[in-house]
């Protein structure tokens, strides 16, 4: 019985490590690039799915260099200093407004 918690912890660590290894890495140099262009580039190059409000994301431009980062880290960096957040729902990365923001999110 005392081994059960240890086995459970080891199993959870292995699952977490496996998920981290399976996460897609993305790259790109973006200079004054709209979020829409970035999401479409990553979708095309990595067979990812995104859902976002293209009209709103067209208005937001960023300049940054993403070099072989996990999609989670890259999305967090891209959306830094915006009022947008992201969440993985099933196999789709959903970009949505943060608290007190409103927008219409559509799949792309």
């Amino acid at each position: 019985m005392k081994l059960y918690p240890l086995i459970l912890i080891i199993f959870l660590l292995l699952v977490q490590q496996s998920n981290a290894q399976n996460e897609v890495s993305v790259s790109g140099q973006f200079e004054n690039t709209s979020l829409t262009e970035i999401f479409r580039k990553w979708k095309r190059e990595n067979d990812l799915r995104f859902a976002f409000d293209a009209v709103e994301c067209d208005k937001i431009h960023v300049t940054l260099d993403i070099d072989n980062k996990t999609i989670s880290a890259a999305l967090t960096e891209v959306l830094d200093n915006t009022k947008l957040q992201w969440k993985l729902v099933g196999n789709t990365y959903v970009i949505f407004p943060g608290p007190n923001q409103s927008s219409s999110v559509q799949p792309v």
Side-chain angles (χ1 to χ4, degrees):
M1 275 304 190
K2 292 182 180 183
L3 288 177
Y4 179 74
L6 179 62
I7 292 171
L8 181 61
I9 290 170
I10 291 171
F11 174 76
L12 291 174
L13 289 172
L14 290 173
V15 167
Q16 182 180 10
Q17 182 180 11
S18 173
N19 287 341
Q21 288 175 346
N22 291 333
E23 191 170 15
V24 173
S25 292
V26 294
S27 297
Q29 290 183 316
F30 306 105
E31 187 169 331
N32 197 30
T33 307
S34 74
L35 295 182
T36 300
E37 290 177 60
I38 293 171
F39 300 148
R40 288 185 175 154
K41 175 185 183 330
W42 289 343
K43 174 187 178 191
R44 188 175 54 251
E45 292 177 354
N46 300 286
D47 197 30
L48 298 172
R49 298 178 104 186
F50 291 94
F52 57 93
D53 182 342
V55 173
E56 289 301 313
C57 288
D58 275 340
K59 297 176 186 176
I60 301 171
H61 291 75
V62 298
T63 298
L64 47 84
D65 185 13
I66 304 288
D67 186 26
N68 201 34
K69 292 189 177 180
T70 64
I71 185 65
S72 297
L75 283 171
T76 300
E77 185 172 342
V78 165
L79 297 178
D80 192 32
N81 298 319
T82 73
K83 295 180 180 180
L84 299 174
Q85 300 175 344
W86 70 273
K87 181 176 185 176
L88 182 60
V89 179
N91 62 349
T92 302
Y93 293 92
V94 179
I95 313 302
F96 60 95
N100 302 323
Q101 302 293 313
S102 64
S103 184
S104 58
V105 175
Q106 300 175 2
V108 175

